[in-house]
Amino acid sequence: MIGALLRDFKIEDITFVVIGRNEAQNLSRCFTAIQKIGSNIIYVDSKSSDESIKVAQEYKIPKIVRLNSNHYSPALGRVAGADLVTTKIIQFIDGDQALAEEWPQLAINFLNKNTNAAIVHGYKKEYKVNYEDFIIKSDRRDHRSDYLQGSCCVVRDVYNRAGGFDYRFIGQEERDLYVSIHHLGYEVWYHHALMSSHYDFKLRGVKYLFFTDISVMSLVFLVKSIINKKILS
C-alpha cells in the first residue's frame, strides 16, 4: 500500500509558493493572509510591469524569483517556485488570492489522516465584480476529486516523482498533473473547507475557452488520460 507509512506533517513543513504577473493591487492581501500563518514564502514574478516586486520587497518575502522568459504561464511560475522548496509540503497560491487562515492546518490534518492522498484542495470565494459580492462553487463533502485546482496543498515528494507541473502548458496544467499523480497510484482529494478568496476581475468569455491555446491544452490532457486509462475519472 503506497500510503501505508504514518505521516506527521506540521505547519512548519509548508512552503507557500505565490505566483503573479502584474498583481500589485492584490499581493498585499495575499502576503498579509499568508504571514498570519507562516513566513516560509517564495514569490515568483513573471516579469511584471507594475510594482509587484516592490510590494514583495516591502513585505520582506524571503525568496523573490524574477522570471525572464519568452514563455510565461502559471505552470512556469509554479515550477520555478517548487524547484526552490525544501520542505515536505507545498501550498501553491496565486497572487490574486488570499489564503484562508484555517486552511493550511486543515490541509495538513487531512494529509496526515489520508496517507494515500498526495494533493488536497478546497473551495474558494470568487469575487468577480467587486470586493463585496462573491459566489462560492463547491462540492458538498470530502471526496476523491475528479479535478484539480492550480492552488492546492501538495506533498512535495510525490509532486516531484510525478514530474510536477509541466511548464510547457499555458493552461490545463492542473489536469495534466492530476493524471500523473493517479498514474503513480496516489490520490487527489477535495476537502470541504474554505481554501482561499479569489479576486478575479479579469474578463473572459467563450472566445477564451474555445478559440485560444487553452482549448488545445485540454486535448493534451484528454489524450494523456486515455493513454493512462484514467478517462472515466
Side-chain angles (χ1 to χ4, degrees):
M1 182 78 176
I2 291 177
L5 296 177
L6 294 178
R7 289 172 169 174
D8 188 25
F9 298 136
K10 301 177 177 63
I11 283 291
E12 53 265 33
D13 291 326
I14 301 180
T15 295
F16 302 91
V17 173
V18 181
I19 62 169
R21 188 178 192 187
N22 296 327
E23 295 288 357
Q25 64 178 352
N26 292 311
L27 283 175
S28 292
R29 186 187 305 108
C30 180
F31 293 146
T32 297
I34 295 174
Q35 289 180 338
K36 291 179 180 178
I37 306 162
S39 59
N40 199 3
I41 307 170
I42 298 173
Y43 171 60
V44 183
D45 186 85
S46 293
K47 204 174 184 179
S48 294
S49 58
D50 63 6
E51 295 190 335
S52 292
I53 294 293
K54 181 180 178 181
V55 174
Q57 292 171 336
E58 289 174 350
Y59 276 81
K60 296 181 171 55
I61 303 305
K63 292 182 182 179
I64 300 174
V65 179
R66 308 185 197 201
L67 296 180
N68 186 12
S69 172
N70 293 323
H71 169 86
Y72 294 108
S73 68
L76 178 62
R78 293 184 187 116
V79 168
D83 283 349
L84 298 177
V85 174
T86 58
T87 57
K88 297 177 181 178
I89 303 292
I90 305 172
Q91 172 66 55
F92 291 106
I93 188 81
D94 293 354
D96 60 357
Q97 296 182 34
L99 201 64
E101 188 171 354
E102 299 81 7
W103 169 255
Q105 186 62 64
L106 291 174
I108 287 292
N109 293 344
F110 188 91
L111 291 172
N112 283 336
K113 181 179 179 181
N114 299 275
T115 56
N116 213 45
I119 299 179
V120 60
H121 57 107
Y123 66 83
K124 297 180 290 188
K125 291 182 178 179
E126 296 279 357
Y127 293 82
K128 297 287 188 180
V129 179
N130 55 51
Y131 292 99
E132 298 178 357
D133 302 313
F134 63 86
I135 60 174
I136 293 177
K137 295 179 180 179
S138 73
D139 298 335
R140 297 182 178 180
R141 57 181 173 78
D142 292 2
H143 68 98
R144 284 186 63 179
S145 177
D146 58 356
Y147 64 96
L148 174 62
Q149 303 179 63
S151 296
C152 55
C153 191
V154 185
V155 178
R156 183 174 66 94
D157 174 63
V158 183
Y159 168 87
N160 287 337
R161 281 191 276 152
F165 288 107
D166 191 328
Y167 64 84
R168 297 169 297 180
F169 279 59
I170 62 169
Q172 307 294 348
E173 71 280 358
E174 306 97 331
R175 299 177 189 272
D176 177 73
L177 178 60
Y178 173 94
V179 176
S180 298
I181 291 292
H182 276 269
H183 183 62
L184 289 178
Y186 284 90
E187 300 168 356
V188 175
W189 277 79
Y190 166 84
H191 183 36
H192 190 53
L194 176 64
M195 180 174 61
S196 66
S197 295
H198 187 196
Y199 299 86
D200 183 15
F201 303 135
K202 303 177 185 69
L203 294 177
R204 299 186 180 97
V206 174
K207 181 179 179 181
Y208 172 83
L209 292 174
F210 296 104
F211 300 101
T212 64
D213 291 340
I214 297 295
S215 58
V216 177
M217 292 297 102
S218 299
L219 295 177
V220 174
F221 85 82
L222 180 59
V223 171
K224 186 172 181 179
S225 299
I226 295 172
I227 293 173
N228 286 279
K229 299 180 181 179
K230 295 294 181 181
I231 187 63
L232 295 180
S233 65

